[in-house]
Amino acid sequence: MPKIKIKYFSDKIEKLRYIEGKSDWIDLRSAEDISLKKGEFKLIPLGVGMQLPAGYEAHVVPRSSTFKNFGIIQTNHCGVIDESYCGDNDQWFMPVLAVRDTEIHVNDRVCQFRIMEHQPAVEFEECTHLEGADRGGFGSTGRA
């Protein structure tokens, strides 16, 4: 199991931990109280920075309840933090847009992350026909 160095930028948030038996994603929390008006953008400080091992990256996404609870959308939809973002001042942030007036408090769980290995190098081979089943060209249902 790789060890990851973590720096906490706030003593007001809970330490990171797995929630046993629920998920392999880890919740991240707001490191400050934030008030947003509808249409405002903000980088929410998450109070942590990490030194990821070479060849790894973190994928940061909203929690399933984030929109319902806070009325915010993560503007990059999935943040990818690679191992080069590991300096002493490289705190993690969540870029959000408020779709309604909202309040986020210190220690509120606003997003989650997981550590992934980098995608391996791939080679693309151009073709004129694919061998798989034709699902109609629209998602899993094949219907628009």
Side-chain angles (χ1 to χ4, degrees):
M1 172 183 333
K3 288 200 179 196
I4 297 173
K5 290 183 179 181
I6 183 168
K7 177 181 177 178
Y8 288 93
F9 290 82
S10 170
D11 60 1
K12 297 177 184 174
I13 60 171
E14 288 184 30
K15 304 289 187 197
L16 298 187
R17 63 185 171 87
Y18 281 108
I19 299 174
E20 292 298 323
K22 288 211 165 195
S23 175
D24 59 354
W25 290 79
I26 301 168
D27 289 336
L28 291 165
R29 300 166 181 274
S30 177
E32 65 182 43
D33 288 327
I34 295 168
S35 294
L36 291 169
K37 298 287 185 196
K38 180 180 179 178
E40 284 187 322
F41 170 82
K42 172 81 175 171
L43 290 172
I44 298 177
L46 301 172
V48 297
M50 293 180 214
Q51 188 170 355
L52 301 175
Y56 286 83
E57 61 196 25
H59 293 191
V60 180
V61 299
R63 298 180 73 243
S64 60
S65 61
T66 297
F67 183 78
K68 174 183 65 81
N69 290 343
F70 304 110
I72 56 175
I73 295 173
Q74 184 173 340
T75 58
N76 60 355
H77 303 289
C78 175
V80 178
I81 301 171
D82 69 23
E83 73 269 23
S84 70
Y85 191 70
C86 62
D88 201 41
N89 294 306
D90 289 339
Q91 179 175 194
W92 291 12
F93 290 85
M94 178 189 190
V96 301
L97 179 69
V99 298
R100 62 174 163 83
D101 293 358
T102 191
E103 298 276 331
I104 300 167
H105 301 287
V106 168
N107 214 40
D108 281 345
R109 295 179 300 163
V110 293
C111 58
Q112 58 191 337
F113 79 100
R114 73 183 325 171
I115 306 296
M116 310 272 296
E117 284 190 78
H118 288 203
Q119 175 175 294
V122 297
E123 183 178 327
F124 294 99
E125 178 184 339
E126 192 171 334
C127 67
T128 58
H129 178 71
L130 300 174
E131 298 297 324
D134 190 345
R135 295 178 6 186
F138 186 82
S140 62
T141 65
R143 292 185 291 262

